[in-house]
Amino acid sequence: MCRVAKPATPPMHLVSYVVVVDDGYILLVDHRNAQLWLPPGGHVEPGEHPRVTVDRELEEELGFVASHPIEPPLFLTITTTVGLTAGHTDVSLWYVVRASRHHSFKFDEGEEGEFRDARWFPFDEVPLERTDPHMKRFLTKLANNNA
């Protein structure tokens, strides 16, 4: 299920979402291609463990390293993609990474960058109409898991 050619070969890809959270806040990126506010993350490379993908994407997309061991994913979803390369299927593992929202992050922005913006949202202010269709269920599960 690893993507071997962009945008959609094979038509189903394994993805590691890096859900960065801090005390009722979630960090989302305004993804140019998907045209949605999404958790950072990316495709799992051939031969790569999905947890290694989390570490790689954290450094590539946000410029930092997790301060704690990455635990198993909290959530799994299967979604037909939207945006500029719509129509393939992402099987997404949602990994939770805890970080301070006061920490400064570097993200891939600019004209050629992958993201238009990156922003912390309180859980109850996530733009659900413009994010992953499973986000509301994820936030509920996250809240219940932390209770």
Side-chain angles (χ1 to χ4, degrees):
M1 287 189 14
C2 293
R3 182 176 71 180
V4 294
K6 290 182 178 183
T9 303
M12 183 177 283
H13 310 147
L14 185 59
V15 170
S16 288
Y17 266 157
V18 183
V19 187
V20 182
V21 297
D22 178 29
D23 194 28
Y25 285 78
I26 183 171
L27 180 67
L28 299 176
V29 294
D30 188 1
H31 196 280
R32 285 187 194 280
N33 185 4
Q35 301 177 332
L36 297 172
W37 284 97
L38 298 172
H43 293 91
V44 177
E45 300 290 336
E48 182 177 59
H49 190 284
R51 283 188 194 163
V52 173
T53 306
V54 171
D55 292 331
R56 177 175 53 78
E57 294 292 343
L58 266 175
E59 192 162 350
E60 287 177 8
E61 295 186 350
L62 298 176
F64 86 100
V65 175
S67 63
H68 60 84
I70 304 300
E71 296 194 12
L74 179 64
F75 206 56
L76 169 81
T77 57
I78 300 172
T79 310
T80 301
T81 60
V82 298
L84 302 178
T85 57
H88 63 276
T89 302
D90 280 348
V91 176
S92 302
L93 301 168
W94 297 55
Y95 288 91
V96 176
V97 174
R98 301 198 182 281
S100 171
R101 66 183 179 273
H102 304 292
H103 176 83
S104 61
F105 298 100
K106 296 183 286 182
F107 64 94
D108 190 12
E109 62 180 331
E111 290 296 316
E112 300 298 318
E114 190 173 357
F115 311 130
R116 288 188 183 100
D117 196 5
R119 188 179 312 160
W120 286 97
F121 290 92
F123 289 172
D124 62 354
E125 293 180 19
V126 169
L128 295 175
E129 70 287 347
R130 198 172 154 237
T131 190
D132 185 289
H134 304 285
M135 181 62 75
K136 184 175 181 178
R137 284 188 14 218
F138 171 78
L139 291 171
T140 299
K141 181 164 185 153
L142 181 63
N144 290 338
N145 194 56
N146 288 332

